[in-house]
Amino acid sequence: MSGELKVLGACPLDCPDTCSWIVTVDDGKAVKLRGNPDHPYTRGALCVKVNRYLEHTQAADRILHPLRRTGPKGSGQFERITWEEALEEISVRLRAIVEEHGGEAIWPYLGTGTLGYLQGCEGVAGRRFWNVLGASKHFLNICAAAGGSGLHRTNGTPAGMDPENLALAKLILLWGTNTLTSGHHLWKFIQDARANGAHVVAIDPIRTRTADQADEYLPIRPGTDAALALGLLNVVLAENAQDEEFLAEHSEGWPEFREEILRHPVGKVSEITGIPAADIHSLGMKLAHTRPTAIRATMGIQRHAGGGTALRTIGAIPGVTGDWRHPGGGIAYSTSGHVHLDIDTREDLLAKPVRTLVMTKLASQLDDVKCLWVYAANPLGSTPDGNAIRRQLAREDLFTVVMEQFPTDTVDYADIVLPATMQTEHYDLHAGYGHMYLLWNEPAVEPAGECLSTTETFRRLAAHMGLTEPSLYDSDLELAEQLLSSGHPSLEGITLDRLRKEGWVRMNYPKPFIPFADGFPTPSGRLRFPRAGQAYIPPHTAQAERSPYPLALVTPAAHTFLNTIFGNNPELRRRAKDPVVLVNPADAAARGLVSGQRVRVHNDGGEFLADVEISDRVAAGVVASPKGRWPKLSPGGANPNAVVAERDADMGKGPGYHDNLVEVSPA
Ligand SMILES: Nc1nc2c(c(=O)[nH]1)N[C@H]1C(S)=C(S)[C@@H](COP(=O)(O)OP(=O)(O)OC[C@H]3O[C@@H](n4cnc5c(=O)[nH]c(N)nc54)[C@H](O)[C@@H]3O)O[C@H]1N2
Ligand SMILES: Nc1nc2c(c(=O)[nH]1)N[C@H]1C(S)=C(S)[C@@H](COP(=O)(O)OP(=O)(O)OC[C@H]3O[C@@H](n4cnc5c(=O)[nH]c(N)nc54)[C@H](O)[C@@H]3O)O[C@H]1N2
Ligand code: SF4
Ligand SMILES: [Mo]
């Protein structure tokens, strides 16, 4: 096989697993993509979605050239233009906006399309350029802000266990996390623990495919997890199983938190959570007497009014049980806090301080914005209050630029579209948020059509605008060298040369890793327990009885899409079938609904259409429909974000995707 080459890369998608992959290239064409068998976390497998990534890079609807709008906003009518024309028009418009309205009238709206440190949000791609222009800052709060803040309050960091250590646990709580769908590589480590006798419990309002595979499943009322945590700890205290030595040496606020726990006996918690008291008691007994216990809680559990507090209080559990002492104990939320790549966005280039706009508040914060620059994001598919966003994007006075790979709903509203490379076509540096490895992505093939990477697009635009700041022209490899040069011990010996040769490397952390062996990264060095009255905040949906919309809607990860990525892939759409909404038999009977019937799921914000699936996978009062559909490819032209309100969680301004009240009616 002459000309065949194997190129090491990494999956760029917003998934905790950040897989290592190998691209086979034959005569300049990528012909095969597979998971790297040598990588200890990937272990040779990708997933049902990314197995189709190569086909996706070669899809017929890929955007290959710069485009200029010719029809009304939203029509998706464009003409092909040259890069020179695109850069010229953009330069003229940006200069005029800065002159007339100031740089803050520009909103650089960067999403999670790639987690690359060069091309994507982890390194805040493009920010140096925006700083020179004085553009508004962008708070990427759409995913993990609430939970991260909650854990930070408890532990001083959102980071915790090495997820691989789940293999050492004897009790595993999969708490508001759908492992087999949203990051399935962890499952092997859970199976290893099981082989050593571990008991696995899933806590979720939906009996997911993960719950099906667990030893035990507790159906919880959405948004009530912090109360469950207090109830479980109530049993731990009744058993006198708290780790007094750990509490004395490593915590602060224990007497007050202890009182709060005592105010949450199992019966009361059963009423709040909807879980039978006997089941709470039985799990509390297991928690009291099983060391080490590992808690896996990820992003879904925080998408509620009290989402930050949920992680804050669940995060307190290993402080009471002393699980942090043991390899295999603690909480595994995200490993991002263990990554110490040095991101220099050159804040010194800003002439004056600028405001920060909030990603999930696009609909309400766009009023005085004159240029919306969307990259690696699809707000019309993914951001709350889809109908209000659509009205905003239709504004004639808003200059919208979208850097994209595919003709999304958001692209339809662009004035200028810039074609973006995909992962096999550009350099990038990655770290997982579900493991402890860094990965290098070497381009395997030339960019398709006239596509450019994010870094190259901003270099060319800077040059076209005649900007003289030298750091705007740093090459990708120079940027990677800078990222790796923080001097943090976890990166010692990890050079770009080594990464390019080996493809991936584990950061320098001991194995097994005990994150807080030397104390917690709080000012006192101690874990901080929640204050009295602040350990549980009820969800918005607790108001169901007083609302014309009595059903609590949960909109979790879809198995075949990654957010809205792959929402246009014909094979994955075929597998996903038509959109469904899970409805409990009692709720279906009360409304006279039958399985397969097309319904409107609606509230004051809008509606989306789906087919009813009558199922005991959800409790009465709860309905569920996954995220990720493209509105324009969905019946009725809307997805669940039509009924998701732009409403803050208690911390980090996080969104409430799983905390909305709806009614379900025949279409
Ligand atoms: N296949 C696939 N994988 C993905 C994604 C995808 O779209 N598709 N998205 C990626 C991204 S961006 C992220 S952030 C992660 C998200 O992945 P996860 O963190 O797993 O988040 P969700 O799927 O939103 O929710 C996880 C589970 O929490 C449950 N849940 C919802 N509300 C509550 C609650 O109040 N309490 C409890 N206990 N459970 C609750 C949901 O029913 C769901 O089963 O996955 C990533 N991986
Ligand atoms: N209802 C509901 N909605 C949700 C959620 C939910 O649980 N329920 N979850 C939320 C979560 S967790 C997240 S993280 C957000 C994600 O929301 P967004 O950040 O908006 O992500 P996506 O919708 O996946 O859109 C990413 C876009 O980036 C493009 N892209 C990919 N790679 C590149 C690249 O290298 N360059 C450029 N220029 N473009 C690229 C893709 O083609 C895609 O259209 O969605 C949120 N939306
Ligand atoms: S989406 Fe997740 S599981 Fe699938 S290949 Fe990418 S990192 Fe791996
Ligand atoms: Mo996310």
Side-chain angles (χ1 to χ4, degrees), residues 385-532:
D385 211 347
N387 291 323
I389 295 173
R390 201 175 284 274
R391 287 192 291 274
Q392 284 277 25
L393 294 193
R395 265 170 44 199
E396 276 306 325
D397 70 314
L398 181 69
F399 178 56
T400 302
V401 178
V402 180
M403 298 164 77
E404 251 300 350
Q405 301 160 340
F406 292 99
T408 62
D409 291 75
T410 307
V411 162
D412 288 348
Y413 286 82
D415 293 286
I416 300 283
V417 183
L418 299 176
T421 46
M422 292 182 74
Q423 187 77 345
T424 45
E425 302 160 359
H426 56 225
Y427 289 115
D428 219 331
L429 176 61
H430 288 264
Y433 64 94
H435 62 53
M436 306 289 275
Y437 303 87
L438 299 182
L439 298 93
W440 178 253
N441 183 74
E442 188 79 10
V445 295
E446 290 296 317
E450 294 179 2
C451 294
L452 293 183
S453 67
T454 305
T455 46
E456 182 60 16
T457 301
F458 283 109
R459 284 189 289 260
R460 293 211 190 169
L461 183 55
H464 197 94
M465 293 180 77
L467 304 181
T468 54
E469 163 56 36
S471 71
L472 298 182
Y473 300 97
D474 288 352
S475 70
D476 290 356
L477 297 181
E478 282 165 344
L479 290 168
E481 297 273 14
Q482 291 164 23
L483 280 159
L484 289 165
S485 65
S486 71
H488 192 271
S490 63
L491 298 180
E492 208 185 302
I494 303 180
T495 61
L496 183 56
D497 279 350
R498 183 174 160 204
L499 268 174
R500 289 186 75 179
K501 217 173 285 149
E502 299 172 17
W504 56 271
V505 56
R506 186 177 160 94
M507 294 180 291
N508 300 318
Y509 289 103
K511 211 172 179 182
F513 173 55
I514 302 186
F516 306 124
D518 304 322
F520 292 83
T522 55
S524 63
R526 289 160 175 262
L527 179 150
R528 295 174 296 208
F529 285 116
R531 310 290 301 270

Side-chain angles (χ1 to χ4, degrees), residues 14-16 49 143 175-178 181-182 203-206 208 220 222-223 225 298-301 303-304 433 554 556-559 561-563 627 658:
D14 186 351
C15 165
K49 312 169 292 292
C143 184
W175 201 329
T177 187
N178 189 0
T181 282
S182 50
I203 305 168
D204 199 304
I206 308 175
T208 60
I220 188 166
D225 301 273
T298 50
M299 307 309 168
I301 191 175
R303 312 213 188 286
H304 298 274
Y433 64 94
V554 176
H559 198 67
F561 309 127
L562 194 297
N563 294 322
K627 66 174 172 177
H658 304 337

Side-chain angles (χ1 to χ4, degrees), residues 151-336:
L151 273 174
H152 192 279
R153 288 197 200 185
T154 301
N155 293 331
T157 170
M161 289 179 71
D162 176 351
E164 290 182 36
N165 280 6
L166 255 68
L168 306 173
K170 294 292 181 205
L171 174 64
I172 296 178
L173 308 186
L174 300 176
W175 201 329
T177 187
N178 189 0
T179 306
L180 286 172
T181 282
S182 50
H184 72 87
H185 292 82
L186 184 63
W187 198 252
K188 299 205 188 70
F189 298 91
I190 294 170
Q191 291 294 63
D192 289 348
R194 263 181 161 167
N196 289 317
H199 183 76
V200 179
V201 184
I203 305 168
D204 199 304
I206 308 175
R207 202 176 76 237
T208 60
R209 65 177 73 216
T210 304
D212 280 340
Q213 298 297 316
D215 299 306
E216 189 181 339
Y217 164 59
L218 296 188
I220 188 166
R221 201 167 278 149
T224 63
D225 301 273
L228 177 61
L230 293 168
L232 295 174
L233 287 173
N234 192 287
V235 181
V236 171
L237 288 191
E239 288 294 297
N240 205 22
Q242 68 275 18
D243 185 333
E244 292 290 357
E245 198 184 307
F246 189 88
L247 285 164
E249 279 176 23
H250 299 294
S251 79
E252 64 186 61
W254 172 238
E256 194 176 328
F257 186 52
R258 186 174 170 280
E259 293 302 315
E260 187 73 5
I261 294 168
L262 294 175
R263 280 191 286 272
H264 286 81
V266 166
K268 175 175 169 183
V269 168
S270 171
E271 268 168 41
I272 298 172
T273 61
I275 303 172
D279 294 345
I280 298 173
H281 185 260
S282 144
L283 183 57
M285 293 295 283
K286 289 195 182 81
L287 177 64
H289 301 295
T290 316
R291 305 277 74 76
T293 289
I295 299 170
R296 173 69 168 168
T298 50
M299 307 309 168
I301 191 175
Q302 69 191 275
R303 312 213 188 286
H304 298 274
T309 300
L311 269 302
R312 183 185 194 189
T313 301
I314 293 170
I317 293 176
V320 179
T321 56
D323 270 307
W324 285 121
R325 293 175 187 282
H326 312 282
I331 176 164
Y333 169 73
S334 164
T335 52
S336 301

